[in-house]
Structures are given as C-alpha cells and as structure tokens.
Amino acid sequence: SFKQFPDSEDFLFVLDTPRFSKGIFEQWGERVVYWYLSTEKELREIFVVHQTNGFSYPTIDSFGSNGKYVSFRNYVCTNCGGHIPETWLFVFSNRRNGYLAKKNIGQVLNFEWTGINSYRYKDYIEEKDCEFEGGVCPKDSTSLPFKIGNFIE
C-alpha cells in the first residue's frame, strides 16, 4: 500500500517483512508502515502490525482534508475477500515525531473524512440469513444511517 500526503511530497507505504529460520524463508511476518519525509529525505518507521490477531494487513485508505489525519483499512488477509476490515485512524499532528494518536473504530462501512478531524461511517451489521458460503454478508448499507465521529488530538 502506498499513498502520498495531499499537502506535500511526503508519502506513507506498507511493507510485508519476511521471517527466516536458519536462512530459509519461513513465512511473511509483520507489516511495517513507513513514512518518507521528502524535505529531510528520511524514512521513518511509524508502526508495526504483528500477526497476533485476525486483523494484521493494513492498507492506507484516505487522508483528512488537512493531511494530518489518515485512515487505514486493516484486513485479515491479502486478497482473500469475504470480510470487512477494521478501520484505524491516525493523527500526524507533529510529523517530526511520527503519529500523535491512534484510534480503532472497528469494522465499519462507507468511512469518509468530513472535516479537519471529523468523519462519518455506517455500522457494519451481519445478516443472519446469508447465502454466501464460507463468509458473512453485511447488511445493505444503503438503509443504514451515517454515524458521526471526531478525532480529538
């Protein structure tokens, strides 16, 4: 995953790091989110997602209007489908120190930033009678109301 900040030449990207045992590839390990600061020509590790819970594959989703707020969609697996990712929010208020705050709003639908630090989304609700084998069916989001949130630094 790769995304450039809207107000600068800086960008974020996610790398999947391999695990080796005695020099032989064993499996993919943790995902690391990096931030490239263009003015300093510096690469910073922002956070690491370990494969400890089900949601451990982050992708960069969107930036808030001022470029300080970033949303990530965190999946159970890559290209496997059949699930709704968690949505994580980050504040990059002081970019020299990386992120200032983090918030996990869980599995949601139709997330979008609506202001400098405000956002809206729809709850993810699973249908009880689902015809999709091996997965779950989300309730049709068109009938659900938007919920409003604020991310205060």
Side-chain angles (χ1 to χ4, degrees):
S1 182
F2 170 93
K3 197 166 283 263
Q4 184 175 340
F5 280 86
D7 61 346
S8 73
E9 298 291 316
D10 294 4
F11 56 87
L12 295 172
F13 64 97
V14 181
L15 284 181
D16 203 358
T17 59
R19 283 192 192 151
F20 292 90
S21 176
K22 298 180 183 176
I24 299 172
F25 173 76
E26 194 173 77
Q27 67 180 18
W28 289 106
E30 53 202 23
R31 267 60 54 206
V32 183
V33 177
Y34 291 98
W35 173 24
Y36 177 73
L37 292 95
S38 60
T39 54
E40 288 87 9
K41 300 200 181 335
E42 181 181 337
L43 185 62
R44 292 198 182 146
E45 182 179 298
I46 301 300
F47 66 94
V48 177
V49 180
H50 302 281
Q51 201 163 354
T52 54
N53 68 0
F55 296 93
S56 57
Y57 290 89
T59 60
I60 304 153
D61 182 41
S62 62
F63 288 97
S65 62
N66 66 357
K68 293 164 106 176
Y69 297 85
V70 182
S71 65
F72 288 81
R73 305 286 280 165
N74 195 22
Y75 292 86
V76 171
C77 51
T78 58
N79 299 320
C80 62
H83 71 280
I84 302 297
E86 288 183 334
T87 299
W88 294 358
L89 310 178
F90 285 79
V91 179
F92 286 84
S93 287
N94 183 350
R95 290 196 182 165
R96 291 196 172 277
N97 296 326
Y99 75 89
L100 182 62
K102 175 178 110 171
K103 183 177 187 179
N104 181 352
I105 61 172
Q107 293 175 281
V108 300
L109 303 171
N110 305 98
F111 174 86
E112 60 185 48
W113 294 104
T114 57
I116 291 176
N117 67 342
S118 58
Y119 56 90
R120 70 182 194 162
Y121 64 93
K122 294 184 178 188
D123 280 329
Y124 167 66
I125 300 171
E126 292 181 3
E127 291 284 357
K128 293 184 180 187
D129 297 319
C130 181
E131 296 183 18
F132 178 67
E133 290 184 35
V136 295
C137 294
K139 183 173 184 163
D140 181 13
S141 67
T142 56
S143 64
L144 298 173
F146 274 102
K147 289 193 170 183
I148 305 296
N150 284 302
F151 196 178
I152 308 300
E153 300 175 37

